[in-house]
Amino acid sequence: MTEFVQHLINGLSLGSIYALVALGYTMVFGVLQLINFAHGEVFMAGAFVGYYSGRLMGFDKNPSFVGLLATLGVSMMACALLGLLIERFAYRPLRRQPRINILITAVGVSLLLQFSGQLFFGSDPKFFPQVYKPEGTWEIGELKINPLQVNVLIVSLSLMLILQYIIFKTRIGRAMRAVSFDHDLARLMGIPTDRVISWTFMLGSALAGAAGVLVGLIYPKIEPFMGIVPGLKSFVAAILGGIGNVTGAFVGAVFLGLAEEFVVGYGASTYRDALAFIFLIVVLLIKPTGLFGKAGSEKV
């Protein structure tokens, strides 16, 4: 039982990080019907911004929870800016073009960011500074809990609650939901769709930046290609929950994180990375719209 609870906490922590990245995929798909393949590289950029900013602010030598929040803030702002630039200069000029054009552009932006990262950051893995390093472990009977895992889970859930508030309680959130329903109708109602789409990219990218920092804390090795596998897994999580659905992305990511952790803990850890793609195949065969997705018609 003790081992089960330990794996449960680890799985929730991992799933919450996947959820931060998956939310970016699902938000962009919701407003543009676009799979932003460069989103995993924004996650990578967030980890490197956290690496350099944490060291620059001296939190590698004086780790604290304030250091974690400061590093998260810098990384999220930098990634929001990166998301804005990607949307403005790569995707917006192609918005009226056939969908395949913008899809290929997304793959191109992904490759550009990967190899730019290799050029600027170097190809060698780097050790992420421990800007937050809680001492000891929490013990409940025989159960030993790593406080870092719990704090990462709390930070991730807090960010997702803030996102929920923005989407459902603010003016920009209402505009995002209107644009996701119908671009042209939203424009006729006076909603600045270009600005709303830019905000969507910025929000999704900021969450990916936060995920990069949190992953760096738990798995301290970062390198320019670190966004590929987590990005694909988060994309699968978004599909699993129903891409375009914020709640679905969260549920799918948590499910995937738990499944991975329990496979590693009780089964064959070799299949850990393959598990996401097995889920993807099963979902596409049984319910292509995902757990919370709805089937819709498209005019061609």
Side-chain angles (χ1 to χ4, degrees):
M1 186 62 187
T2 302
E3 190 179 355
F4 175 84
V5 175
Q6 183 65 63
H7 288 306
L8 181 66
I9 294 171
N10 292 344
L12 287 174
S13 178
L14 179 63
S16 66
I17 292 175
Y18 284 154
L20 290 177
V21 184
L23 286 169
Y25 279 108
T26 210
M27 288 168 62
V28 169
F29 187 86
V31 297
L32 276 184
Q33 302 291 298
L34 163 70
I35 298 170
N36 180 18
F37 284 113
H39 196 58
E41 279 58 56
V42 177
F43 159 80
M44 173 273 293
F48 274 97
V49 172
Y51 170 83
Y52 287 109
S53 63
R55 290 163 60 98
L56 189 64
M57 292 187 286
F59 292 122
D60 56 330
K61 296 174 182 172
N62 299 297
S64 66
F65 191 69
V66 174
L68 171 61
L69 295 180
T71 307
L72 275 175
V74 173
S75 182
M76 290 175 73
M77 285 190 287
C79 288
L81 178 62
L82 178 60
L84 175 66
L85 294 175
I86 291 173
E87 188 278 329
R88 180 64 185 85
F89 295 105
Y91 298 149
R92 189 181 297 183
L94 300 174
R95 201 173 294 163
R96 298 289 179 185
Q97 301 298 318
R99 197 168 296 172
I100 187 69
N101 293 12
I102 198 167
L103 194 65
I104 292 171
T105 302
V107 176
V109 173
S110 171
L111 293 173
L112 175 67
L113 291 176
Q114 286 174 19
F115 289 101
S116 296
Q118 195 175 32
L119 179 66
F120 288 107
F121 306 135
S123 57
D124 56 314
K126 292 181 169 50
F127 186 78
F128 194 87
Q130 294 299 291
V131 295
Y132 175 55
K133 191 176 181 182
E135 299 292 336
T137 58
W138 296 344
E139 296 186 11
I140 305 173
E142 295 182 354
L143 177 64
K144 293 182 180 179
I145 301 173
N146 183 352
L148 182 60
Q149 297 275 5
V150 178
N151 285 317
V152 165
L153 176 61
I154 292 172
V155 170
S156 301
L157 291 177
S158 301
L159 290 172
M160 282 182 274
L161 288 175
I162 293 172
L163 177 68
Q164 285 286 102
Y165 178 81
I166 291 174
I167 290 178
F168 292 104
K169 299 292 183 183
T170 66
R171 190 171 180 177
I172 187 67
R174 285 193 293 273
M176 287 165 61
R177 284 184 284 141
V179 172
S180 70
F181 183 75
D182 192 307
H183 276 214
D184 296 330
L185 193 57
R187 189 179 295 112
L188 287 174
M189 296 294 290
I191 295 174
T193 54
D194 285 344
R195 193 185 307 167
V196 172
I197 291 170
S198 295
W199 270 104
T200 306
F201 268 84
M202 290 173 68
L203 277 175
S205 300
L207 292 177
V213 172
L214 296 177
V215 162
L217 278 179
I218 299 178
Y219 310 102
K221 191 181 74 171
I222 62 172
E223 45 94 14
F225 295 98
M226 64 178 283
I228 298 175
V229 174
L232 285 173
K233 288 180 179 177
S234 301
F235 172 62
V236 170
I239 296 279
L240 184 63
I243 193 160
N245 187 301
V246 173
T247 305
F250 172 74
V251 173
V254 170
F255 178 78
L256 186 61
L258 288 172
E260 271 194 31
E261 180 62 30
F262 283 114
V263 163
V264 172
Y266 294 106
S269 58
T270 310
Y271 294 103
R272 174 179 183 168
D273 289 335
L275 192 65
F277 303 101
I278 294 172
F279 282 140
L280 177 63
I281 293 169
V282 172
V283 168
L284 291 177
L285 287 175
I286 297 176
K287 196 172 187 303
T289 56
L291 297 174
F292 294 86
K294 295 178 181 176
S297 58
E298 185 175 358
K299 188 183 292 182
V300 295

